[in-house]
Amino acid sequence: MSEHRRKPPQSRGRRAAQPPSGGRRAAQSYGSTASHGMPSDRPHGGRAEARRAAQRAGGGRRRAADTAGDVTVVGRRRGRYEPEKKRFIDYPRSGKYGWRRWMPSWKLVTGLAMAFMGMLIGLGGLALAMVEVPDENIAALQQNNVYYWSDDTVMARAGKTNRQNMKIEDIPESMQKAAVAAENATFWEDKGVDPIGIGRAVFNMATGGDTQGGSTITQQYVKNTYLSQDQTIVRKARELFIAIKVNAQKSKEEILQGYLNTSYYGRGAHGLQAAAQAYFEKDAKDLEPAESALLTTVLKGADLYDPAGGEGPNSSPEKNRERAVKRWNWVMDRQVELKMMSQAERDKYEFPEIAPRKAQAGLNGQTGYLAALAEEEVRETLGLNKQQFDKGGYQIYTTFDKKKTAAMEKAVSKVTKQYIDPEGSPETDKFVQFGAASVEPGTGKVVAIYGGPGFENGHFTNNADTLGVPVGSTWKPFVLAAAMEHGTYRSNGVGIAPSSEYNGDNKLKVKQQDGTDYLDKEGNPFYQVNDGDKDHGYITLRRAMEVSANTPFVQLGMDVGMDKVKEMAASAGIEKDSFDPNLNPSFALGTSTPGAIEMANSYATFAASGTQVDTYTVRKVTHNGEEEPGFEKPQKQTAMDSDIADNITDVLRGVVEKPHGTGTRAQELGRPVAGKTGTTDKNKSAWWVGYTPQLSTAVTLFRTDPEKRTLLSMNGTGGFESIHGGRLPTEVWTAYMKSAVKGVPVKDFPEPGPVGKKIDQVGAPSPSPSPSESEEPEPSPSESEEPEPSTDPSPSQETPSGPPSSTCRPNDWFCDDTGGTDTGGTDTGGSDTGGTDTGGTGGSDGGTDTGGTEGSDGGTDEGGTNGRPGGNDSGGIWGNTGSD
């Protein structure tokens, strides 16, 4: 073949793909000479030099690939390069290198988001198609709650749905506007749900704002009518889908009508008509805009927004009214903001007056208090709110004994009629109240209570379960029990016996465990006084309990440690909210404020030889025929050694059986009885807590100022110069117990075993041959204690490091922490009959006790002023008395 016809050979591997339109230089970077002997752009130096030249010209192969668009060199095959094939999801990204290869493109992100949204819409559509609107007539059915006595007979029917449905044309426009403005401003335009509203509600909750909730009116109507009140994700999801369907099937007017007819407004009122009657005693069609705004306000939660107060914690009338006024103003201003009302019209209205709360039918007399106690236990155990409970359907089997409850009410009524005359003696007898409770030792069953004259008489406070009435000397058994259990700082942990002797004289300095004086805030020694300024000398703790001497128990409490006294009371059954937080000397004399139920139960621990059981009022609960869990009997626990409990009982029997005891009136029961009297400062409260082996009962008597909600003195009440626990409370107790234990076999208390050692107070005279404690001689007539002491003021609240501190606690309705002036008057005790007592600071109410100068035979006492309680007598503070 001739030389010129032969095809020149190509350089191996230099044949490249056609260059893209991106530029000649890119093509040249991969090109080569066309044939041997023809000129080339590549400089001499071989293939390596050619590659370097190409990289310099086009930025390297990778840059050339980037600029080549979608034609990418991916490899060699038989001497040529081929482009990479396209993928449906380009990830990792082709043609990219390094971190760019793993960064999703906006097309990929957008496509995936659209696919996800499409899937959600599809699933939502499927769920919407599958969800059916339930039958509202079945779901919204309301029922009674039925209470049963301990013998399973019906006690009361309560919780019956109080509702009369209204048509939308009868619902005043002011109520429609207020509800929409406060609950769902977009109601007339939305599709049943409001995503923006839900987001806004979440944001406002996070930032502390106060506006409508995330649920629309349609959703709330669905929840009230078709669903339960359970706060679960499943229920909420069903609510959303059903709301969308209901919104499509019903008109907005029908939905608003249903919402206002099914909502709960408190006071047992379901629906607008019942609410209008409950709060304003008028028909709903006659509601004024201010009244409509208030009914919208209580929709937020009647227990916290009813201005008359609720039934749960933190729902006092004062706090509820404050919340209600704030919310009411917001509802009115919200209507102005949404142009539903002009500012001029808004300015015409003030917060409306409401009608007082009234009892539901069937809850009159003691039944209302019994049902309230049982309801509280059921709701707490099952975790129900008031609205859920009032839906009804619960059968509640209580521990309350019908005959004992009737007997307790009869006993209170008898003593009240005999002694108390509020109309004839309003200055002394008005606002006097009894409270009582009876508990079964060893089981914790609350078998009877007396809570007051009844809900129907406007008395909604349960006097059997108060928190705010000091118990006085009924606290002393806990001091003695703590001494038996722990001993004193002088006994090296060995308990002390009731035969131990302590100084029972009047006006004694209180000593700390290191022997130094207990000082008040001004650095003066603290003096404790006895009832009637009586001196008892060194007496046994048994005798001190019988005559209710104060000074031995205050010093004993200091020697044991008030923290140990508190622990003993708690183990016996006193709840933590009832304790006075100030563990000063006065703590030993009953400044704590447990109710009658707690006191009866704590003494039942003594009756049961140290076995403590928490109280309960509900035996069993069924709901729509199914028994609810959580109502098992409370467990028994050992609160103290049986010998300690039995010795306390033996000592308390002397309070009843010894002629000088303060509870001798309880002997009329005619069977073994143990108990203790208690009376507090200025006779503001009087107690008797007593028990037989089968039943423990506490009775309290007090007088209150209904407006200030503070305790008043009972001096002069019932025609008595002063009222004490050994008088009217003991008479009520005896009259009740005669009926309560009728037919019950007489049973004696266990014989107490020996306990502790005889450890006398520092300074007690050396022991000398004397009769045994059981043979302790009766005091001479001049030393005898009257069964009816003259006064029993409560101890001072003053602490050594500062001014009197408030002992008010949550729900302490009768606590007075406002201070004030406390006038003492003339001191008629002993020979100090001529002058007046001028007391210093330290009254139990946190005020100043003003009396005058204590004269002796008409003269001035040069020793200084001597105010009792709390006065300064040239050496110290006289502690308040707390005996009987």
Coordinates of all heavy atoms in Angstrom, one line a residue, residues 175-198 200-201 204 210-220 252 256 259 296 327 330-331 333-340:
M175 N -74.4 36.5 75.3 CA -73.8 35.3 75.7 C -73.1 34.7 74.5 O -71.9 34.2 74.6 CB -74.8 34.3 76.3 CG -74.2 33.1 76.9 SD -73.2 33.4 78.3 CE -72.1 32.0 78.4
Q176 N -73.7 34.7 73.3 CA -73.0 34.2 72.1 C -71.7 35.0 71.9 O -70.7 34.4 71.6 CB -74.0 34.3 70.9 CG -75.3 33.5 71.1 CD -76.1 33.6 69.9 OE1 -75.7 33.5 68.7 NE2 -77.4 33.8 70.1
K177 N -71.8 36.3 71.9 CA -70.6 37.1 71.7 C -69.5 36.8 72.7 O -68.3 36.7 72.4 CB -70.9 38.6 71.6 CG -71.8 39.0 70.5 CD -72.1 40.5 70.5 CE -72.9 40.9 69.3 NZ -73.2 42.4 69.3
A178 N -69.9 36.8 74.0 CA -68.9 36.6 75.0 C -68.2 35.2 74.9 O -67.0 35.1 75.0 CB -69.5 36.7 76.4
A179 N -69.0 34.2 74.6 CA -68.4 32.8 74.4 C -67.4 32.8 73.2 O -66.3 32.2 73.3 CB -69.5 31.8 74.3
V180 N -67.9 33.4 72.1 CA -67.0 33.3 70.9 C -65.7 34.2 71.1 O -64.6 33.7 70.8 CB -67.8 33.8 69.7 CG1 -66.9 34.0 68.5 CG2 -68.9 32.8 69.3
A181 N -65.9 35.3 71.7 CA -64.7 36.2 72.0 C -63.7 35.5 72.9 O -62.5 35.6 72.6 CB -65.2 37.5 72.6
A182 N -64.2 34.9 73.9 CA -63.2 34.3 74.9 C -62.7 32.9 74.5 O -61.5 32.6 74.7 CB -63.9 34.2 76.2
E183 N -63.5 32.1 73.8 CA -63.2 30.7 73.5 C -62.7 30.5 72.1 O -61.8 29.6 71.9 CB -64.4 29.8 73.8 CG -64.8 29.9 75.3 CD -63.8 29.3 76.2 OE1 -63.1 28.4 75.9 OE2 -63.7 29.9 77.4
N184 N -63.2 31.2 71.1 CA -62.8 30.9 69.7 C -63.2 32.0 68.8 O -64.3 32.0 68.2 CB -63.6 29.6 69.4 CG -63.3 29.1 68.0 OD1 -64.0 28.2 67.5 ND2 -62.2 29.6 67.3
A185 N -62.3 33.0 68.7 CA -62.7 34.2 67.9 C -62.9 33.9 66.5 O -63.6 34.7 65.8 CB -61.5 35.3 68.1
T186 N -62.3 32.9 65.9 CA -62.5 32.5 64.5 C -63.7 31.5 64.3 O -63.7 30.9 63.2 CB -61.2 32.0 63.9 OG1 -60.9 30.7 64.6 CG2 -60.1 32.9 64.1
F187 N -64.5 31.4 65.3 CA -65.5 30.3 65.2 C -66.4 30.4 64.0 O -66.6 29.4 63.3 CB -66.4 30.4 66.5 CG -67.7 29.6 66.4 CD1 -67.6 28.2 66.5 CD2 -68.9 30.2 66.2 CE1 -68.7 27.4 66.4 CE2 -70.1 29.4 66.1 CZ -70.0 28.0 66.2
W188 N -66.8 31.6 63.6 CA -67.8 31.7 62.5 C -67.1 31.4 61.1 O -67.8 31.2 60.1 CB -68.4 33.1 62.5 CG -69.3 33.4 63.7 CD1 -69.0 34.2 64.7 CD2 -70.5 32.8 64.0 NE1 -69.9 34.2 65.7 CE2 -70.9 33.3 65.3 CE3 -71.4 31.8 63.4 CZ2 -72.1 32.9 65.9 CZ3 -72.6 31.5 64.0 CH2 -72.9 32.0 65.2
E189 N -65.8 31.4 61.1 CA -65.1 31.2 59.8 C -64.3 29.9 59.7 O -64.1 29.4 58.6 CB -64.1 32.4 59.5 CG -64.7 33.7 59.3 CD -65.0 34.4 60.7 OE1 -64.2 34.1 61.6 OE2 -65.9 35.2 60.8
D190 N -63.9 29.3 60.8 CA -63.0 28.2 60.8 C -63.8 26.9 60.3 O -65.0 26.9 60.2 CB -62.3 28.0 62.1 CG -63.2 27.6 63.3 OD1 -64.3 26.9 63.1 OD2 -63.0 28.1 64.4
K191 N -63.1 25.9 60.1 CA -63.6 24.6 59.7 C -63.8 23.6 60.8 O -63.8 22.4 60.6 CB -62.7 24.0 58.6 CG -62.5 24.9 57.4 CD -63.8 25.2 56.7 CE -63.6 26.1 55.4 NZ -64.9 26.4 54.8
G192 N -63.9 24.1 62.0 CA -64.0 23.2 63.1 C -62.8 23.0 63.9 O -62.8 22.7 65.1
V193 N -61.6 23.3 63.3 CA -60.3 23.3 64.0 C -59.6 24.5 63.6 O -59.8 25.1 62.5 CB -59.5 22.0 63.7 CG1 -60.2 20.7 64.2 CG2 -59.2 21.9 62.2
D194 N -58.7 24.9 64.4 CA -57.9 26.1 64.2 C -56.5 25.9 64.5 O -56.0 26.1 65.6 CB -58.5 27.3 65.1 CG -57.8 28.6 64.8 OD1 -57.0 28.7 63.8 OD2 -58.0 29.5 65.7
P195 N -55.7 25.5 63.5 CA -54.2 25.2 63.7 C -53.5 26.5 64.3 O -52.6 26.3 65.1 CB -53.7 24.9 62.3 CG -54.9 24.4 61.6 CD -56.0 25.2 62.1
I196 N -53.9 27.6 63.8 CA -53.2 28.9 64.3 C -53.6 29.1 65.7 O -52.7 29.5 66.6 CB -53.6 30.1 63.4 CG1 -53.1 29.9 62.0 CG2 -53.1 31.4 64.0 CD1 -53.6 31.0 61.1
G197 N -54.8 28.8 66.1 CA -55.2 29.0 67.5 C -54.5 28.0 68.4 O -54.1 28.3 69.5
I198 N -54.3 26.8 67.9 CA -53.6 25.8 68.7 C -52.1 26.3 69.0 O -51.6 26.2 70.1 CB -53.6 24.4 68.0 CG1 -55.0 23.9 68.0 CG2 -52.7 23.4 68.8 CD1 -55.2 22.6 67.2
R200 N -51.1 29.3 68.8 CA -51.1 30.5 69.7 C -51.3 30.1 71.2 O -50.7 30.7 72.1 CB -52.2 31.4 69.3 CG -52.3 32.7 70.1 CD -53.3 33.7 69.5 NE -54.6 33.1 69.4 CZ -55.3 32.9 68.3 NH1 -54.7 33.1 67.1 NH2 -56.5 32.3 68.3
A201 N -52.1 29.1 71.4 CA -52.3 28.7 72.8 C -51.1 28.1 73.4 O -50.7 28.4 74.5 CB -53.5 27.6 72.8
N204 N -48.7 31.0 74.1 CA -49.2 31.8 75.3 C -48.9 31.1 76.6 O -48.6 31.6 77.6 CB -50.6 32.2 75.2 CG -50.9 33.3 74.2 OD1 -50.0 34.1 74.0 ND2 -52.0 33.4 73.6
D210 N -52.5 34.8 78.7 CA -53.8 34.4 79.1 C -54.8 34.7 78.0 O -55.3 35.8 77.9 CB -54.3 35.1 80.4 CG -55.6 34.5 80.9 OD1 -56.0 33.5 80.5 OD2 -56.2 35.2 81.8
T211 N -55.2 33.7 77.3 CA -56.2 33.9 76.2 C -56.9 32.6 76.0 O -56.9 31.7 76.8 CB -55.5 34.3 74.9 OG1 -56.4 34.6 73.9 CG2 -54.5 33.3 74.4
Q212 N -57.7 32.5 74.9 CA -58.5 31.4 74.7 C -57.6 30.1 74.4 O -56.5 30.3 74.0 CB -59.4 31.5 73.5 CG -58.7 31.7 72.1 CD -58.5 33.1 71.7 OE1 -58.3 34.0 72.6 NE2 -58.6 33.4 70.5
G213 N -58.1 29.0 74.7 CA -57.4 27.7 74.5 C -57.2 27.3 73.1 O -57.7 28.0 72.2
G214 N -56.5 26.3 72.9 CA -56.2 25.8 71.5 C -57.4 25.1 70.9 O -57.5 25.1 69.7
S215 N -58.4 24.6 71.7 CA -59.5 23.9 71.2 C -60.6 24.9 70.7 O -60.9 25.9 71.4 CB -60.1 23.0 72.2 OG -59.2 22.0 72.5
T216 N -61.2 24.7 69.6 CA -62.3 25.5 69.1 C -63.5 25.2 69.8 O -63.6 24.2 70.5 CB -62.5 25.3 67.6 OG1 -62.9 24.0 67.4 CG2 -61.2 25.6 66.8
I217 N -64.5 26.0 69.6 CA -65.8 25.7 70.2 C -66.4 24.4 69.7 O -67.0 23.6 70.4 CB -66.8 26.9 70.0 CG1 -66.5 28.1 70.9 CG2 -68.3 26.5 70.1 CD1 -67.3 29.3 70.7
T218 N -66.2 24.2 68.4 CA -66.6 22.9 67.8 C -65.9 21.7 68.5 O -66.6 20.7 68.8 CB -66.3 22.9 66.3 OG1 -66.8 24.1 65.7 CG2 -66.9 21.7 65.7
Q219 N -64.6 21.8 68.7 CA -63.9 20.7 69.4 C -64.5 20.5 70.8 O -64.6 19.4 71.3 CB -62.4 21.0 69.5 CG -61.7 20.9 68.1 CD -60.3 21.3 68.2 OE1 -59.9 22.4 67.8 NE2 -59.5 20.5 68.8
Q220 N -64.7 21.6 71.5 CA -65.2 21.5 72.9 C -66.6 20.9 72.9 O -67.0 20.1 73.8 CB -65.2 22.9 73.6 CG -63.8 23.4 73.8 CD -63.8 24.7 74.5 OE1 -64.2 24.8 75.7 NE2 -63.4 25.8 73.8
K252 N -73.2 26.4 62.1 CA -72.5 27.1 63.2 C -73.4 27.4 64.4 O -73.1 27.3 65.5 CB -71.8 28.3 62.7 CG -70.6 28.1 61.9 CD -69.4 27.5 62.6 CE -68.2 27.4 61.8 NZ -67.0 26.8 62.6
L256 N -72.9 26.1 68.2 CA -72.8 27.0 69.4 C -73.9 26.7 70.4 O -73.7 26.8 71.6 CB -72.9 28.5 68.9 CG -72.8 29.6 69.9 CD1 -71.5 29.5 70.7 CD2 -73.0 31.0 69.3
Y259 N -72.9 23.7 72.3 CA -71.8 23.9 73.2 C -72.3 24.6 74.4 O -71.9 24.2 75.6 CB -70.7 24.8 72.5 CG -69.7 25.4 73.4 CD1 -68.8 24.7 74.0 CD2 -69.7 26.8 73.7 CE1 -67.8 25.2 74.8 CE2 -68.8 27.4 74.5 CZ -67.8 26.6 75.1 OH -66.9 27.1 76.0
T296 N -69.3 33.1 81.1 CA -68.2 32.7 80.2 C -66.9 32.6 81.0 O -66.1 31.7 80.7 CB -68.0 33.8 79.1 OG1 -69.2 33.9 78.3 CG2 -66.8 33.4 78.2
R327 N -60.4 37.8 84.9 CA -60.9 37.1 83.7 C -62.1 37.8 83.1 O -62.2 37.9 81.9 CB -61.2 35.7 84.0 CG -61.7 34.8 82.9 CD -60.7 34.5 81.9 NE -61.2 33.6 80.8 CZ -60.5 33.2 79.8 NH1 -59.2 33.5 79.7 NH2 -61.1 32.4 78.9
W330 N -61.1 40.7 81.2 CA -60.5 40.3 79.9 C -61.6 40.0 78.9 O -61.5 40.3 77.7 CB -59.6 39.2 80.1 CG -58.9 38.7 78.9 CD1 -57.7 39.2 78.3 CD2 -59.3 37.7 78.0 NE1 -57.5 38.5 77.1 CE2 -58.4 37.6 76.9 CE3 -60.4 36.8 78.0 CZ2 -58.5 36.7 75.9 CZ3 -60.6 35.9 76.9 CH2 -59.6 35.8 75.9
V331 N -62.6 39.2 79.3 CA -63.7 38.9 78.4 C -64.4 40.1 77.8 O -64.7 40.2 76.6 CB -64.7 37.9 79.1 CG1 -65.9 37.7 78.2 CG2 -64.0 36.6 79.5
D333 N -63.1 43.2 77.6 CA -62.2 43.9 76.7 C -62.0 43.2 75.4 O -61.8 43.8 74.4 CB -60.9 44.2 77.5 CG -61.0 45.1 78.6 OD1 -62.0 45.9 78.7 OD2 -60.2 45.0 79.6
R334 N -62.0 41.9 75.5 CA -61.8 41.1 74.3 C -63.0 41.4 73.2 O -62.7 41.4 72.0 CB -61.8 39.6 74.6 CG -61.6 38.7 73.5 CD -60.2 38.7 72.9 NE -60.0 37.7 71.9 CZ -59.1 37.7 71.0 NH1 -58.2 38.7 70.9 NH2 -58.9 36.7 70.2
Q335 N -64.2 41.6 73.7 CA -65.3 41.9 72.8 C -65.1 43.2 72.2 O -65.5 43.4 71.0 CB -66.6 41.8 73.6 CG -67.0 40.4 74.1 CD -68.3 40.4 74.9 OE1 -69.3 40.5 74.3 NE2 -68.2 40.2 76.2
V336 N -64.5 44.2 72.9 CA -64.3 45.5 72.4 C -63.2 45.3 71.3 O -63.3 45.9 70.2 CB -63.8 46.5 73.4 CG1 -63.4 47.8 72.8 CG2 -64.9 46.7 74.5
E337 N -62.2 44.6 71.6 CA -61.1 44.3 70.7 C -61.5 43.7 69.4 O -61.1 44.1 68.3 CB -60.0 43.4 71.3 CG -58.8 43.1 70.4 CD -57.9 42.1 71.1 OE1 -58.0 42.0 72.4 OE2 -57.0 41.6 70.4
L338 N -62.5 42.8 69.4 CA -63.0 42.2 68.3 C -64.2 42.9 67.6 O -64.9 42.4 66.7 CB -63.4 40.7 68.6 CG -62.3 39.8 69.1 CD1 -62.9 38.5 69.6 CD2 -61.3 39.6 68.0
K339 N -64.5 44.1 68.2 CA -65.5 45.0 67.6 C -66.9 44.3 67.8 O -67.8 44.6 67.0 CB -65.3 45.4 66.2 CG -63.9 46.1 66.0 CD -63.8 46.6 64.6 CE -62.4 47.2 64.3 NZ -62.1 48.3 65.3
M340 N -67.1 43.5 68.8 CA -68.4 43.0 69.1 C -69.2 43.9 70.1 O -70.3 43.8 70.3 CB -68.3 41.6 69.8 CG -67.6 40.6 68.9 SD -67.5 39.0 69.9 CE -66.9 37.9 68.6

